[in-house]
Amino acid sequence: MSAPDLTGRTVLVLGAAGAMGRSAARTLAGHGARVIVADEDVAQLEAAFGADDRFQVWEADVTDGTHVQRLAAEFDDTEVLIHCADAGSTAAVPMTAEQDLVDAFTAEVASCWAALRHFAPAMAARGRGSIIAYSGTRAATGGERGTRSMTSEAINQMVREFAQELQPHGVRVNALAPAGDQDETALRFLASDVSRHVTGALVVIESGWSVIERIEEGVGTR
């Protein structure tokens, strides 16, 4: 297997002001990609990326479908799209206020749908592209509660639906559920042509904590 190479690729990171978005942008730029970093918090973007000519800073509310549509039109040469919007909570769902639930689904699920819906056509027309949606690790392994778990499950299913529709057009859609900043290798893999056979997948990186928790709870022990 060849090493992932992103030299000359155009990458756009939605939600680049957050920790996951910053990490994703730096990882892919470090492997040769030209990276557009988009977020409403332009001050954070400038502080993190403004002095580095590998990045292009773009102010946009990535939770607003209209803004995402404009981004897709402006950067229709995007070859790798990363969706990192995160507004969920791990507070118990029965205690969650209705507006907080609506806000979480708007910020994470609806914005992911908008990203997939608006960026996919140009990729499909070119016959290639990779879309990576960040999901929740603990939701994937059954250890997370709250709206973050609910939005992650919705994103995971959305990824599978879009992957099925876009696979005939050469566009791959996958979900990545990392633990902290432990996503570099998997992200490079999914963004590059090395993973051209992978679509509709949920890649979970959780450092074995779920096994440890199960042992501590006595699951599977005598």
Side-chain angles (χ1 to χ4, degrees):
M1 179 183 292
S2 59
D5 181 19
L6 299 168
T7 301
R9 296 286 175 88
T10 299
V11 174
L12 195 148
V13 180
L14 297 170
M20 288 190 299
R22 293 196 305 272
S23 175
R26 289 172 178 145
T27 292
L28 300 183
H31 290 273
R34 165 204 174 218
V35 183
I36 299 104
V37 286
D39 204 287
E40 189 174 26
D41 189 350
V42 72
Q44 178 76 334
L45 293 181
E46 289 290 354
F49 306 109
D52 192 330
D53 60 10
R54 297 176 301 172
F55 302 98
Q56 181 176 352
V57 171
W58 199 267
E59 182 177 6
D61 180 357
V62 300
T63 67
D64 185 316
T66 302
H67 286 218
V68 173
Q69 185 175 15
R70 290 173 185 162
L71 273 170
E74 182 71 26
F75 299 104
D76 60 357
D77 60 341
T78 297
E79 296 165 276
V80 179
L81 177 68
I82 313 293
H83 180 270
C84 290
D86 181 5
S89 165
T90 56
V93 171
M95 301 297 105
T96 301
E98 180 179 357
Q99 191 57 52
D100 291 341
L101 183 66
V102 171
D103 290 345
F105 269 81
T106 298
E108 297 187 31
V109 181
S111 71
C112 186
W113 176 87
L116 288 160
R117 179 68 181 84
H118 296 304
F119 278 88
M123 292 182 177
R126 289 193 300 271
R128 62 180 293 174
S130 176
I131 301 173
I132 303 165
Y134 273 66
S135 181
T137 303
R138 297 177 72 89
T141 54
E144 187 169 58
R145 300 181 65 191
T147 58
R148 181 55 175 154
S149 177
M150 296 170 67
T151 57
S152 292
E153 291 290 354
I155 287 170
N156 296 342
Q157 180 59 29
M158 192 186 313
V159 161
R160 289 187 283 267
E161 295 274 352
F162 273 89
Q164 183 176 357
E165 293 298 321
L166 294 171
Q167 188 276 333
H169 305 285
V171 180
R172 297 176 288 112
V173 187
N174 294 288
L176 177 58
D181 60 357
Q182 301 174 22
D183 60 338
E184 180 174 338
T185 301
L187 179 62
R188 283 161 41 202
F189 171 72
L190 292 175
S192 74
D193 288 342
V194 176
S195 64
R196 58 186 172 274
H197 58 291
V198 179
T199 192
L202 168 60
V203 179
V204 181
I205 308 167
E206 48 95 277
S207 305
W209 63 260
S210 62
V211 175
I212 294 171
E213 286 188 349
R214 288 171 66 84
I215 292 173
E216 291 176 345
E217 293 169 359
V219 178
T221 61
R222 293 181 182 272

